[in-house]
């Protein structure tokens, strides 16, 4: 009966946490302290954003239209 053995092990692990009274970690996985997005991705995003702004300005100047309209 492997199910009863597994249940007993689960009960034992939860029984150890009874005396911790709210100090039990939510997950047993280590959380990363770093940012969710790397600096390379942020740099690429800024490069594309600024490049598109410059390209739009040059295109507007060449066409003779006011910027943004």
């Amino acid at each position: 009966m492997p199910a009863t053995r597994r249940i007993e092990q689960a009960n034992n692990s939860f029984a150890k946490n009874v005396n911790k009274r709210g100090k039990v970690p939510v997950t047993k996985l280590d959380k990363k302290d770093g940012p969710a997005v790397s600096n390379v991705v942020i740099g690429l995003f800024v490069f594309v954003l600024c490049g598109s702004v410059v390209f739009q300005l040059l295109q507007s100047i060449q066409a003779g239209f006011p910027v943004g309209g």
Side-chain angles (χ1 to χ4, degrees), residues 1-9:
M1 299 241 177
T4 57
R5 186 172 194 186
R6 187 180 67 208
I7 292 171
E8 286 177 9
Q9 288 176 345

Side-chain angles (χ1 to χ4, degrees), residues 3-67:
T4 57
R5 186 172 194 186
R6 187 180 67 208
I7 292 171
E8 286 177 9
Q9 288 176 345
N11 285 340
N12 289 336
S13 66
F14 286 117
K16 292 176 187 176
N17 292 334
V18 169
N19 294 329
K20 293 184 180 179
R21 296 178 58 164
K23 297 177 185 175
V24 180
V26 176
T27 180
K28 292 185 180 186
L29 299 176
D30 293 334
K31 292 184 179 180
K32 294 181 180 179
D33 292 332
V37 181
S38 69
N39 291 337
V40 174
V41 174
I42 293 173
L44 182 64
F45 179 73
V46 170
F47 174 75
V48 170
L49 184 69
C50 292
S52 65
V53 168
V54 170
F55 182 74
Q56 183 67 35
L57 285 173
L58 289 175
Q59 192 176 18
S60 298
I61 291 170
Q62 287 179 349
F65 299 128
V67 176

